Amino acid sequence: MKRTIVWSLFFLCSAAHAGLAYADAAPVSAPRELRDCDVCPTLVVVPRGRFEMGSERDGEAERPETPVHTVRIARPFALGKFEVTRGEFRAFVTATGYVVAAGCRVQEQTLGARGRLEWRDDAVANWQAPGLTLPLSDDMPVTCVGRVDALAYVDWLSRTTGQHYRLPSESEWEYAARAGGSGSYPWGSNPDLACQYGNLYDRTSHARLEFGWSYVDCEDGYAELAPVGRFRANTFGLYDMIGNAYEWTADCYRKTYDGAPTDGSPVTDAQCALWSVRGGSWMTRPSRNRLTFRGRDPNDARYSYFGFRVARDLRP
C-alpha cells in the first residue's frame, strides 16, 4: 500500500509540471523496476511527459530528423533497463525452438584494399557467432537479429507472462533516451565525453579496428561489444541507450517527420520496406550516436551491431 501511494504521488508530481517542455520528463525518485519472470528482461517504468522530438539546430542534423515537433507521452510505460542480452535471447530459443535465419553482416578479419577493416555479408554468421573478434558473454547484447526476430521474442514474452510486450515506438525511444535532456547526447553536446555513458567507436576501437571514419576522442575500454550496464544510467535509470547495439523500433521509416504521430504511437504502413533503428552502436561514428539520428533497414536485416530493447504496456 505504501509503495502504491509513493508512486501515485510521483506521477502526480510529474503531471503537475506538464506545461514545461521537459519538466515532466525526469523522475523525482529512484526508478521503479519490474521483472515478470526469471528469464525476462528487467524493465524500468518511464513516466509520462512531453518533449521536442527531432533536431534542426546542430550542424549534424539531417533532413529525416525534421521537422522538430512536440510529442506527448500520455501514459507511463515500461522499457528494458538494458538491451536484450544473449542469455535472455537464448532462453527464448531454448523454450520455443525458434530458428534465426543464418547470415549476418560482419567485419572482415583481414584488411581491405584501403588498409582498414571493411564489411561483408557472411552466410553462416548468426546471433551465436556474430563475427566479432573478441570473446562474447551472455551479458552482452544479442546481435545479428532482425526486427522479425525481435518481434518473435516479444510475442513469446507476451504469451509467457500475460503482459503486452512489444518494441518501443521511435518517439518512446527518443523520449526515454533523452530523459529530460536537451543536448545532442544524453550527457550534453560534446561527443568526446561519451566514454562514461556508453560503448561507442572510441580510441580503443579505432586503434584495434580502424573503420576509416571519425571516433570519440576518449576510451571506454571496449573495442567491440560491452556487457550491458557497464556505463552510467540516464536520468530514467536506463542503460546503453546510446552505443553498444543499434535498437529496432516499432516504426515504419519515413523520410521526414511530416505528419508523424504526436502521441507516442508508432508510424505504421502495411507496405513498409524499411524500419527505424536508433541509438548507434559500438562501431558507428559519433554523429550516428546522436539522440535524434535515425537509421533505416529492412525487417530481416541482420548485422553484428544490431540488437533491440523491449517495451511493455502498463495496466491501468
Side-chain angles (χ1 to χ4, degrees), residues 26-292:
V28 294
S29 57
R32 178 188 173 197
E33 296 186 0
L34 306 169
R35 197 176 185 210
D36 293 320
C37 70
D38 289 344
V39 294
C40 293
T42 300
L43 307 172
V44 170
V45 174
V46 177
R48 62 184 178 180
R50 65 178 186 175
F51 76 113
E52 299 301 304
M53 184 174 184
S55 177
E56 291 174 331
R57 61 179 178 76
D58 67 49
E60 293 183 318
E62 301 182 2
R63 188 167 179 268
E65 301 167 30
T66 64
V68 173
H69 57 291
T70 301
V71 174
R72 182 172 179 263
I73 307 293
R75 292 178 53 81
F77 65 97
L79 190 65
K81 182 177 181 179
F82 311 112
E83 293 160 330
V84 173
T85 66
R86 290 165 48 83
E88 289 165 343
F89 194 79
R90 179 175 288 105
F92 154 64
V93 170
T94 300
T96 64
Y98 182 84
V99 177
V100 178
C104 183
R105 182 166 297 172
V106 302
Q107 64 208 40
E108 290 280 7
Q109 302 303 305
T110 57
L111 293 179
R114 292 175 292 178
R116 55 185 180 238
L117 287 177
E118 297 177 346
W119 297 86
R120 64 181 174 88
D121 293 324
D122 187 321
V124 298
N126 59 33
W127 71 271
Q128 298 183 82
L132 302 180
T133 64
L134 297 173
L136 298 169
S137 59
D138 273 0
D139 59 354
M140 290 178 173
V142 64
T143 58
C144 286
V145 286
R147 183 177 178 275
V148 63
D149 306 316
L151 291 176
Y153 178 79
V154 296
D155 180 64
W156 172 71
L157 285 178
S158 296
R159 289 184 282 106
T160 299
T161 66
Q163 303 289 344
H164 183 213
Y165 279 83
R166 54 185 176 79
L167 294 179
S169 70
E170 263 202 277
S171 51
E172 286 176 330
W173 186 94
E174 188 171 323
Y175 171 73
R178 189 172 289 286
S182 58
S184 298
Y185 304 91
W187 56 87
S189 292
N190 182 354
D192 294 335
L193 300 179
C195 291
Q196 296 181 58
Y197 300 89
N199 175 26
L200 282 67
Y201 185 57
D202 66 333
R203 288 199 300 254
T204 308
S205 305
H206 178 71
R208 180 180 176 85
L209 302 171
E210 176 51 282
F211 290 130
W213 47 73
S214 59
Y215 56 92
V216 292
D217 193 15
C218 60
E219 294 187 7
D220 60 39
Y222 296 93
E224 297 175 334
L225 280 177
V228 300
R230 295 299 172 93
F231 301 92
R232 290 187 183 180
N234 72 9
T235 306
F236 284 165
L238 300 165
Y239 290 81
D240 306 311
M241 293 297 290
I242 297 296
N244 227 10
Y246 270 107
E247 300 176 16
W248 289 105
T249 74
D251 288 60
C252 181
Y253 176 83
R254 289 182 181 166
K255 291 182 179 179
T256 73
Y257 287 135
D258 288 327
T262 59
D263 61 356
S265 60
V267 173
T268 58
D269 184 343
Q271 305 302 317
C272 191
L274 298 174
W275 299 84
S276 296
V277 291
R278 290 301 205 106
S281 74
W282 60 269
M283 51 67 66
T284 45
R285 68 198 73 192
S287 64
R288 296 189 176 188
N289 284 284
R290 291 178 299 111
L291 287 162
T292 54

